[in-house]
Amino acid sequence: MNAQQLSRTPVVLRDVSRAFNGNTILDRVSLRIEPGQFVALLGESGSGKTTLLRALAGLDQDATRSGTINAPDNVSVLFQDARLLPWLSVGDNLSLGLRRTDSLVAVPRMLQAVGLGDKADVWPNTLSGGQKQRAALARSLLREPELLLADEPFGALDALTRLRMQALLFELVEQRRPTVILVTHDVDEALLLADRILVLKDGRIREDHQITLSHPRQPHQSDFAHLRLTLLRSLGVETAVI
């Protein structure tokens, strides 16, 4: 691991609340995430996961806000929708906002890293869903973010493509070591990737699990299966029918 690539700024939230039209979604959340940590947020719909992510990204200007957030300045957001501009080539989507001298070498290198080395000049609408998410991941990491915020980035992909994207995300994050906060509904995805899993309910962090399983992780491993059952129970899933 290159020490220069490691994020050095922790993410710190103190009594953070967010409300929309009088409805409190986040309720006095306090949290510290160490530099370079990979954190997954689990919880039912409406538990506050995406609201927490949007607060960290500064995308919640329409909310009633309180509390303080300290986070790295260099932040990238990876959405479920790749959000590629259809009138720009894949390469131009990646280089948008970068200095030309920076992008000439960096864009082809990053496209190669995500398996799209031959797609720089094609239009986004010619890509498959998985390829679009590869391009979106490349665009996010190209900025060398200290903090990568990922909001269910693989939720719309088929099962096999999702597994490939999870492996790719893990590989690239291991190389660059940003702090990562991943919103997911997939317990297995959280366990495959994260160092730490937070379970949210009613706008609060109800559980905080440190995940010490070694990589590569496999769902059939006994420790993995035990943690999976623990998390499913936390989410109110009846394990007898799984």
Side-chain angles (χ1 to χ4, degrees):
M1 179 177 62
N2 185 339
Q4 292 181 338
Q5 293 174 321
L6 179 64
S7 172
R8 295 297 183 187
T9 306
V11 175
V12 181
L13 294 81
R14 297 184 181 90
D15 293 323
V16 171
S17 295
R18 294 293 186 270
F20 297 86
N21 299 319
N23 183 26
T24 298
I25 306 300
L26 287 181
D27 187 9
R28 294 167 291 169
V29 171
S30 293
L31 173 66
R32 180 184 176 93
I33 298 173
E34 298 300 332
Q37 196 169 47
F38 196 129
V39 177
L41 304 181
L42 287 175
E44 299 176 359
S45 295
S47 61
K49 303 184 303 300
T50 293
T51 299
L52 177 55
L53 209 72
R54 291 179 65 85
L56 287 166
L59 299 176
D60 61 346
Q61 301 302 317
D62 55 337
T64 301
R65 301 182 293 165
S66 63
T68 60
I69 297 176
N70 295 310
D73 293 328
N74 187 2
V75 179
S76 281
V77 183
L78 185 61
F79 298 98
Q80 185 172 340
D81 180 350
R83 303 196 180 191
L84 301 174
L85 299 177
W87 56 86
L88 295 179
S89 69
V90 170
D92 286 343
N93 265 280
L94 266 66
S95 63
L96 189 66
L98 296 179
R99 294 182 302 180
R100 178 171 173 77
T101 53
D102 292 336
S103 64
L104 285 176
V105 174
V107 168
R109 181 183 297 155
M110 183 59 74
L111 284 173
Q112 193 68 36
V114 299
L116 296 176
D118 60 342
K119 302 296 184 182
D121 297 325
V122 307
W123 301 112
N125 62 6
T126 67
L127 301 180
S128 68
Q131 288 174 328
K132 289 177 182 177
Q133 281 304 91
R134 285 173 179 262
L137 176 59
R139 181 181 57 194
S140 292
L141 291 177
L142 189 62
R143 273 71 183 169
E144 294 290 343
E146 276 195 73
L147 176 60
L148 176 62
L149 303 173
D151 190 3
E152 295 190 76
F154 313 137
L157 302 178
D158 64 82
L160 289 178
T161 303
R162 187 183 308 125
L163 288 172
R164 295 187 185 104
M165 286 300 300
Q166 290 166 355
L168 177 62
L169 174 62
F170 179 79
E171 178 185 351
L172 295 176
V173 165
E174 281 292 287
Q175 293 171 5
R176 289 162 175 80
R177 300 303 296 179
T179 303
V180 181
I181 303 177
L182 169 71
V183 168
T184 181
H185 282 95
D186 187 337
V187 170
D188 283 0
E189 181 170 82
L191 285 170
L192 285 169
L193 297 173
D195 308 317
R196 183 180 179 189
I197 298 176
L198 305 178
V199 179
L200 277 70
K201 184 176 182 179
D202 299 327
R204 293 187 176 184
I205 297 171
R206 300 298 184 178
E207 296 182 22
D208 186 342
H209 298 268
Q210 300 292 331
I211 310 301
T212 58
L213 299 175
S214 59
H215 290 280
R217 298 172 182 172
Q218 301 293 337
H220 60 77
Q221 294 170 330
S222 59
D223 289 347
F224 188 107
H226 175 74
L227 283 168
R228 183 174 186 268
L229 289 175
T230 298
L231 291 167
L232 287 170
R233 290 191 184 105
S234 299
L235 296 170
V237 176
E238 292 296 332
T239 56
V241 299
I242 296 172

